[in-house]
Amino acid sequence: MGKAAPVKRPLKFESTDAMLAEARSLLETGYKSRGNWTLGQTCGHLANWMQYPIDGFPRGPLPIRAMLWVMKHTVGPGMKRKILTEGFSGGSPTAPQSVPQAAELSDQQGLEKLQQAVERLTNYDGPLLPSPLFGAMDKSMLITITLLHAEHHVGYLEPNS
């Protein structure tokens, strides 16, 4: 018998302000992680993916880069449409360097990093680098994808009552 999937709360973020408010609330009230990451790791991961289109995406090994190129030109558009309609689903691997180790980033530091990433992206007017999987995105689409990404990961953090 396989391990049961962790319980995730349904979240809907209409804005980056709502996303940050939820993260602040979890920091203030405390939380139980129903997944594998702390609040700091979750916020750091989200911040990293918000900044990659500005600074550059992690460069994986050649076989992974080749696989992503093929996926971007075949199933990537369908995956993007599915995420936009259904949100992110669990179980997909992510770039390991995009997830800070818990000992490297406290919950407070992770929240600060996410706040800085939101501010930076909000004020950024330059070109965005294309996603290795989804291709070119404008700032509005990047924010939409970020909010869906946040709903997925923050959903595994349950506030203390």
Side-chain angles (χ1 to χ4, degrees):
M1 203 91 162
K3 185 177 165 185
V7 176
K8 184 171 83 165
R9 5 178 229 138
L11 292 173
K12 182 68 180 147
F13 296 133
E14 298 293 334
S15 67
T16 55
D17 287 342
M19 173 186 71
L20 289 170
E22 180 65 17
R24 277 188 215 100
S25 176
L26 290 166
L27 180 65
E28 291 168 11
T29 64
Y31 63 92
K32 175 181 169 87
S33 178
R34 299 211 177 266
N36 299 319
W37 299 349
T38 65
L39 175 63
Q41 288 176 292
T42 298
C43 290
H45 173 74
L46 295 170
N48 286 339
W49 282 102
M50 289 180 76
Q51 295 181 93
Y52 291 151
I54 297 170
D55 298 329
F57 288 85
R59 189 165 167 86
L62 182 60
I64 300 293
R65 292 194 318 263
M67 179 189 71
L68 285 170
W69 185 90
V70 169
M71 290 176 71
K72 179 171 67 172
H73 294 285
T74 57
V75 298
M79 290 175 71
K80 182 176 167 188
R81 279 192 302 278
K82 184 174 181 182
I83 288 169
L84 289 171
T85 57
E86 300 174 18
F88 280 78
S89 59
S92 299
T94 190
Q97 61 268 51
S98 74
V99 185
Q101 295 302 307
E104 296 173 355
L105 198 66
S106 71
D107 289 348
Q108 178 67 44
Q109 291 168 323
L111 176 56
E112 289 168 5
K113 182 174 179 168
L114 182 58
Q115 289 172 166
Q116 291 165 359
V118 167
E119 185 175 317
R120 184 174 180 215
L121 180 59
T122 300
N123 295 321
Y124 183 74
D125 288 326
L128 295 172
L129 299 168
S131 160
L133 182 58
F134 301 136
M137 287 192 284
D138 63 15
K139 188 160 69 170
S140 174
M141 180 58 65
L142 175 58
I143 290 170
T144 297
I145 295 280
T146 295
L147 295 175
L148 292 166
H149 193 197
E151 290 166 6
H152 169 71
H153 287 297
V154 176
Y156 288 109
L157 303 173
E158 184 172 319
N160 290 340
S161 16

